[in-house]
Amino acid sequence: MLQPIEPSAGKPPAETRRILKGIPASPGIAIGKVSVLRQESVLVEERVLRPEEVEAERRRFLQAIARTRRQLEGLRDTMLQSGNGEEARLLETHLLILDDREALESTIEAVRLERRNAEFCYRRVMNRVSDKLEESNSEYFRERTSDLKAVKRRVLRNLLNPASEMAASLNEPHLVFAPDLTPADTAALSPEQLLGFATDHGGRTGHAAILARSRGIPAVVGLANVSDAAEGGELAVVDGTRGIVEISPSPDSLRVYTERRASQQRLAERFASIRSEEAVTKDGVRILLSANVEAPEEARRAVEQGARGIGLLRTEFFFLNRTDPPGEDEQADAYGAAAEAVAPDPVIIRTMDLGGDKLAAYLGSEPGANPFLGLRGIRLMLQHPGLLRSQLRAIYRAAARGNVKIMIPMVSGLEELRIVNRMREDVLRDLRSEGLEHRGEIEAGIMVETPAAIWIADRLAQECDFFSIGSNDLIQYSLAVDRGNERIASLYDPFHPAVLRAIRHVVEAAHAAGIWAGLCGEMASDPVIVPLLVGAGLDELSAGPFFIPAVKSVIRETNAGEARALLDRLLGHSTGGEIGAEARREFARMYPDLAELAEP
Ligand code: PEP
Ligand code: MG
């Protein structure tokens, strides 16, 4: 549990200006007083039990687990009621960790055989698991250690002090600095009071980052020691756009940040005024601007931000954090609800893209030595045809409730597409003969994200209805740069000419075959890149909901003909560094009112 540390009594805040650099997790500038939340330390002592104490100790342990479960379920239900599906899902992960049979049984066994107290045995079991996770090469798994530790702390607290409960939230708007923020911590922080936050740990895919983006709160993560660097009550700035935290800023710096924040607010007002307008360029080229969403409940938020549909509904949420796969009815209901939320605009439902760093134990998928080059996406699903079939059936059934399209991830060969196409026909025949309500005439497309798919795009285009470029993976695979490896993050370059050429090539192949092409990775969320994507001739862009207004503004102020010429000119350069630098300069020149968006 995190406890707020009130402004230190008697001790004046250290007033020297300090600047810390971390990972930009959620854009925007927040200025305010700091509240430092520290992990409450839990002191665990080793105690030898008398034989007659063993049974009582086992019961005490199980009672603490039950109490922890009630607390987590309560927090999850509160989050669901207040529409925070993201937090609720993260708390669901904590419940799964809590109920892990192996951890519970190993602890009870240790209590019985070694005759040691429950907190001592439980901590040892959980530490072993988190040590293993921490060694993982995958950022995703490393991030999960913070979940494990949060659950461990809560159980230990309940064993040691059954009366303890969540920290009270602070009652004036403030910045929160903490070692890390778990879903339970953020659930306890009132959204109205939270101006922004900064954490020592965490990466772009950690909870803190996900939550900040979904709430639109500026945040910087991975700052190493921000929770020690500031005193409670000190003035600070969280610059989530650049990944900088400034504590006790100088008057000059404070003035600059205040001006930037004001210009961001002006932009926000301007964005709000075009929310219901179309994403059409100055010379009349209409681009379908849709949103990437991680779960059906986010569909509403995407529409509120001005998206015209969902360009990527990731369905992994359904398959992760559970002990067996979801049923067809359950999926059909959820997909149908998302389709209804955005109808008549489209929702593109991507079949599950598990594997890589997203593993579901019941599929028996081992990460392998190179998980992103392994059993992932359509490859994994073709080994579990029953699961793919039931997902396809659910999608066709949901299609009766709105404008639904199907999309297949990680395609690297025409055979994969053909197998799925045959399976779609079988599924439709079955649905018809069973008389189940569904809609069969819907578009089916593929994600273009492997170099193989780029270079056979002309052939693939003959056998599907659309392309959606998965830029996150297209960059990773084209440049051979692991997207989750922070040590080579500087090589992960969306401006690399190989990436821009690939995008242009794929769009040309699609258009030559008479199908449309969109792009749905993070690239579509970067305003500076948007003119280049318009210039490449993309018909659809799908961005994170939070970025939709900025992307729409850029499109509306772009001339598609000029954007084409700009892309041609930039591709005259040979390096990503040159292209990126000129793209930024051009952006500031072409869109002076939006220059704030081009800040590096
Ligand atoms: C992508 O690769 O760009 C994409 C949108 O898919 P994901 O990020 O889920 O791999
Ligand atoms: Mg992908």
Side-chain angles (χ1 to χ4, degrees), residues 350 353 376 447 449 470 472-473 483:
R350 176 174 78 179
D353 188 7
R376 182 187 170 192
M447 293 195 70
E449 40 191 358
N472 302 335
D473 280 315
R483 61 194 262 189

Side-chain angles (χ1 to χ4, degrees), residues 173-193:
H174 55 274
L175 302 171
V176 167
F177 288 9
D180 203 353
L181 287 171
T182 70
D185 297 325
T186 46
L189 295 166
S190 136
E192 294 79 41
Q193 310 296 357

Side-chain angles (χ1 to χ4, degrees), residues 468-502:
S468 182
I469 295 173
S471 58
N472 302 335
D473 280 315
L474 182 135
I475 298 172
Q476 150 163 279
Y477 295 128
S478 297
L479 305 184
V481 173
D482 182 341
R483 61 194 262 189
N485 185 337
E486 284 155 28
R487 279 174 296 179
I488 47 172
S490 63
L491 297 178
Y492 185 92
D493 181 8
F495 292 104
H496 195 295
V499 173
L500 295 175
R501 282 187 192 191

